[in-house]
Amino acid sequence: MIALIPLFPLLGFVINASLGRRLPKAISGGVAMAVMVASFAVSVMSVWDLAALPAAERTIEQTVYTWIASGDFILDLTLRLDPLAAVMILVVTGVGALIHIYSTAYMHDEVDSEFARYFSYLNLFAAFMLVLVLGANFLVLFVGWEGVGLCSYLLIGFWFRKKAAADAGKKAFVVNRIGDYAFVLGMLLLLVRFGTLDFQRLASIVAAIPPENGVFGALSIATLLLFIGATGKSAQIPLYTWLPDAMEGPTPVSALIHAATMVTAGVYMIGRNAVLFGHAPETMLIVAIVGALTALMAGTIGLVQNDIKRVLAYSTVSQLGLMFVAMGMGAFGAGIFHLYTHAFFKALLFLGSGAVIHALHGEQDIRNMGGLKRYLPVTYWTFLIGSLAIAGVPGLAGFFSKDEILYETFRAGHWILWTMAAITSFLTATYMFRLVFLTFHGERRRDPGSGIRDPGSDLMPQMSRHSGSPIPDPGSRVPSHDVHDHAAHDSHLHDAPPAMALALIVLAVGSAVAGYVGVPHALGGHNALAEWLAPSFQPPTTVASAPVAGGLQASGEEALAENAGLELTLMTVSSAIAIVGIAVAAFVWLRRRELADALAARFAGAYRLLLNKYYVDELYDATVVEPIRLGSQEGLWRGIDVGVIDGAVNGTAALVGAGSGALRRLQTGSVRAYAGSMFIGVVVILGYYLWR
């Protein structure tokens, strides 16, 4: 039955890819939704069966066939459902089904064939992601790993006639291949070192050897290579640059990639191999440091972005960084907990931004919005819930999971990393409510399509066309007599249609209540998620015994109870951080909007640095892209391609041509000349044999 979970969306892909051109939108969209709902239903039944098993036996396997048999090495295409995979399949199929439902309304303006093509890609994406999380060994996981990379290229570049979208798809594909190269090397090193790629067998073998404390041995190298692969998929330094550009794809694609599927693959992979990473503490520290740096850097960039989707994109990069901090601390359960809650509120925020863009006919600049609360009430209130959740406001999903990460980091004694994570949390609350206030509050600053701004619309300084300096442009403001009546111009604004509203409301409920599966003892709760996930982070032979060291699942309920005072203190601090961040955003972008201009003008260098994303893309272009391009044109192309390869081919042709020209002269057409040639040939042959 497990195989049906990825097979249903794969069936939807086959139907829409082969017959979609001849199907109306209602059928192609209905098929895509139906297969995802069916996959979710099978997932729920499978997880129900799994939960009925004793904790030590919570594993269900299905071997589809023997894939590789070479000597003593046998590798099956096996799917394995355990507590970690159970959480992932429910997230992928549940949130994925809602995104499919939302897409039927959002993409309705596409022609039938393009509509079917979109849903075929979406179904294929979900199928590969489910293969990734259900794979029982590295090679099956890698099929899904590469599959979601392919589908991200197809979906990001869905509107391929738009150059920016085509370039973004290629960028995502190339950057991910860099990480995947390291991932392959890590797999091969594990195979050579331990003779297997099965996750459970690897965990059992590694559990029997001592951890590589203070030594960067083969296991540390292998896990580091795997982590480099994760930096590509999960957009961490230095391979994060593809994710913000992925906003060129349709908004539901952004929700699917950023919330429930591809970008969480790296976090999942580390959790799946918790025993391996736990025995490589040097790699774990690198994971935590990279995660903290990524979270902080992306948070600062998100603070000044003006594209509604790019703000959310950098928010995703930042939240993924926090997940990697948890994984690096050995708090695997806390990292997966945040992955789970993040799926709800980040999908909600992206789909909410899509509803705004849909209502404004393509407008994405938050400086051209404002006052939308009255026109888009469903979108506003659901978006507000998602923003409160990601900010870490007490009582909502993000509060519980983010607090666990901060608590585990502090408890591990990494004060610098805790400080970086706390600052990231403050930035998250600030830039998310900057987004809320500029988008939904205040007065409408521009009517879509009118090209007219209201006085005072420049909440952030305009960039000079020549110098790029953030100096407010007085010419961008219009006289009061040119301002149109917003009541007339905004009368056409409409809230999310039913299919989109349904997805927003369900995700808003999830963003509010999903965290209650992990309420800690410090609040008088019971962390059911920690107990559920614990067996997945231990070698199979020790599942029934006490958990090994490793964060949330390892701390044990008794230890959490003993540290209730510390956790309550840190919880109060993290709550205060969220509230202060929201208050700062309210003061700057609700009460004193001119203050943003003043700060940007005063700190022009820092503002320009953040607005241009630390010039990382420009740095890569100057140090990697251009040298390769020039080297290919001047060195490889002229030297090897033109000089060697073309020279060899052209030289062979010239040699054959010259030889043919010489032989042609012997073909005179004279019978006497041919007879003479034959006579000379016979004499030479006879002379040779007589001489010998």
Side-chain angles (χ1 to χ4, degrees):
M1 196 170 182
I2 300 174
L4 292 176
I5 298 173
L7 279 177
F8 274 127
L10 183 62
L11 176 64
F13 161 74
V14 171
I15 292 173
N16 274 320
S18 57
L19 304 175
R21 290 179 177 274
R22 294 181 288 275
L23 297 176
K25 293 177 185 176
I27 295 179
S28 58
V31 168
M33 286 192 301
V35 295
M36 285 304 298
V37 172
S39 182
F40 176 68
V42 175
S43 297
V44 171
M45 290 188 288
S46 299
V47 174
W48 185 270
D49 292 340
L50 185 72
L53 299 173
E57 301 173 11
R58 281 183 183 151
T59 300
I60 301 174
E61 287 190 8
Q62 181 177 354
T63 299
V64 181
Y65 61 87
T66 298
W67 186 1
I68 299 174
S70 177
D72 295 333
F73 178 72
I74 297 176
L75 188 140
D76 297 325
L77 200 164
T78 301
L79 304 179
R80 180 180 294 140
L81 181 64
D82 71 343
L84 176 57
V87 172
M88 295 300 297
I89 62 172
L90 291 177
V91 168
V92 173
T93 57
V95 177
L98 291 172
I99 292 171
H100 279 68
I101 294 171
Y102 178 99
S103 295
T104 58
Y106 190 87
M107 301 296 290
H108 195 264
D109 290 339
E110 299 290 331
V111 298
D112 289 356
S113 60
E114 293 296 281
F115 192 79
R117 180 168 69 91
Y118 169 81
F119 275 105
S120 68
Y121 292 165
L122 218 59
N123 279 165
L124 186 63
F125 196 117
F128 275 126
M129 188 65 194
L130 291 167
V131 169
L132 189 156
V133 300
L134 288 171
N137 56 66
F138 267 108
L139 210 54
V140 177
L141 177 145
F142 191 67
V143 171
W145 187 276
E146 290 296 283
V148 294
L150 168 65
C151 292
S152 68
Y153 163 75
L154 296 173
L155 285 167
I156 294 168
F158 176 76
W159 290 313
F160 57 87
R161 292 180 180 85
K162 180 183 175 185
K163 185 178 185 302
D167 289 345
K170 288 184 288 186
K171 183 175 182 178
F173 191 84
V174 171
V175 172
N176 273 276
R177 296 294 75 72
I178 296 170
D180 294 349
Y181 178 72
F183 192 89
V184 170
L185 294 179
M187 284 197 305
L188 294 176
L189 182 55
L190 289 175
L191 178 61
V192 171
R193 178 70 175 80
F194 301 109
T196 182
L197 291 175
D198 184 270
F199 295 128
Q200 288 191 348
R201 293 176 189 168
L202 279 169
S204 298
I205 295 170
V206 172
I209 63 177
E212 294 182 344
N213 290 312
V215 178
F216 214 83
L219 185 59
S220 296
I221 295 173
T223 51
L224 181 60
L225 289 169
L226 295 177
F227 173 61
I228 294 173
T231 63
K233 277 290 179 290
S234 296
Q236 298 296 287
I237 293 173
L239 301 178
Y240 71 93
T241 55
W242 68 270
L243 193 58
D245 289 358
M247 298 302 96
E248 294 294 339
T251 300
V253 171
S254 303
L256 188 65
I257 291 176
H258 286 234
T261 55
M262 180 172 166
V263 296
T264 62
V267 180
Y268 164 79
M269 184 274 297
I270 294 179
R272 172 58 66 208
N273 296 281
V275 176
L276 275 65
F277 279 84
H279 277 63
E282 304 297 327
T283 300
M284 293 278 279
L285 182 59
I286 294 173
V287 171
I289 292 172
V290 170
L293 290 173
T294 304
L296 187 58
M297 183 186 70
T300 57
I301 296 174
L303 194 61
V304 301
Q305 296 302 302
N306 296 312
D307 185 300
I308 187 171
K309 288 173 66 177
R310 284 189 178 269
V311 174
L312 297 178
Y314 282 104
S315 169
T316 299
V317 176
S318 184
Q319 296 303 305
L320 288 166
L322 290 179
M323 295 177 206
F324 278 106
V325 170
M327 306 312 267
M329 292 294 98
F332 303 108
I336 299 301
F337 188 16
H338 197 53
L339 182 157
Y340 156 74
T341 59
H342 179 264
F344 288 99
F345 52 72
K346 187 49 62 68
L348 170 61
L349 292 169
F350 266 111
L351 297 185
S353 72
V356 171
I357 296 168
H358 189 265
L360 299 181
H361 306 287
E363 179 63 71
Q364 295 185 201
D365 194 324
I366 59 177
R367 295 171 298 182
N368 298 333
M369 299 180 186
L372 297 179
K373 175 183 176 181
R374 76 184 79 165
Y375 305 105
L376 313 175
V378 173
T379 302
Y380 169 71
W381 288 109
T382 54
F383 197 93
L384 180 63
I385 292 172
S387 299
L388 291 168
I390 195 174
V393 171
L396 300 178
F399 164 74
F400 296 104
S401 57
K402 191 178 293 186
D403 176 71
E404 285 292 347
I405 295 175
L406 291 171
Y407 169 66
E408 293 291 346
T409 305
F410 189 91
R411 198 166 66 91
H414 291 277
W415 322 118
I416 296 177
L417 295 181
W418 181 88
T419 303
M420 295 171 71
I423 295 173
T424 299
S425 299
F426 168 77
L427 292 173
T428 301
T430 304
Y431 65 65
M432 282 308 306
F433 275 84
R434 169 183 177 260
L435 181 61
V436 170
F437 296 143
L438 292 184
T439 303
F440 294 100
H441 289 258
E443 297 298 325
R444 287 281 290 115
R445 293 183 294 279
R446 181 187 178 191
D447 179 69
S450 70
I452 301 296
R453 287 189 189 180
D454 283 353
S457 66
D458 296 300
L459 305 187
M460 294 298 289
Q462 301 298 305
M463 300 301 292
S464 167
R465 292 180 182 271
H466 304 291
S467 65
S469 59
I471 301 173
D473 180 11
S476 66
R477 303 179 185 272
V478 297
S480 58
H481 60 78
D482 286 337
V483 179
H484 292 195
D485 180 10
H486 284 298
H489 284 289
D490 292 335
S491 60
H492 68 285
L493 292 180
H494 56 83
D495 208 348
M500 294 167 63
L502 173 64
L504 293 176
I505 292 170
V506 173
L507 289 170
V509 172
S511 299
V513 305
Y516 287 91
V517 299
V519 178
H521 268 299
L523 292 179
H526 178 69
N527 201 326
L529 185 66
E531 293 183 355
W532 171 260
L533 289 171
S536 295
F537 304 134
Q538 305 166 40
T541 55
T542 62
V543 167
S545 62
V548 296
L552 180 70
Q553 73 286 351
S555 54
E557 300 297 338
E558 298 81 3
L560 286 175
E562 293 174 3
N563 291 288
L566 173 63
E567 185 165 12
L568 282 173
T569 301
L570 294 175
M571 204 175 293
T572 304
V573 172
S574 64
S575 300
I577 288 171
I579 293 170
V580 170
I582 295 172
V584 168
F587 179 76
V588 175
W589 287 285
L590 272 185
R591 298 190 61 184
R592 297 282 303 277
R593 293 188 173 184
E594 73 282 356
L595 185 59
D597 288 355
L599 290 173
R602 181 172 182 179
F603 302 101
Y607 176 77
R608 192 183 306 116
L609 181 68
L610 296 179
L611 194 64
N612 288 283
K613 302 159 287 186
Y614 293 99
Y615 296 99
V616 173
D617 281 306
E618 289 79 0
L619 177 64
Y620 285 170
D621 189 66
T623 60
V624 179
V625 177
E626 283 302 307
I628 291 177
R629 185 182 66 83
L630 292 174
S632 299
Q633 289 181 342
E634 302 300 328
L636 295 175
W637 180 65
R638 295 187 185 279
I640 298 177
D641 192 30
V642 175
V644 178
I645 298 175
D646 286 357
V649 172
N650 294 334
T652 302
L655 181 62
V656 171
S660 301
L663 291 173
R664 181 179 58 79
R665 298 179 184 278
L666 299 177
Q667 305 301 316
T668 62
S670 170
V671 175
R672 287 181 294 179
Y674 294 157
S677 298
M678 293 175 64
F679 176 75
I680 294 172
V682 170
V683 170
V684 170
I685 292 172
L686 289 176
Y688 171 76
Y689 282 104
L690 291 174
W691 177 77
R692 290 191 63 184

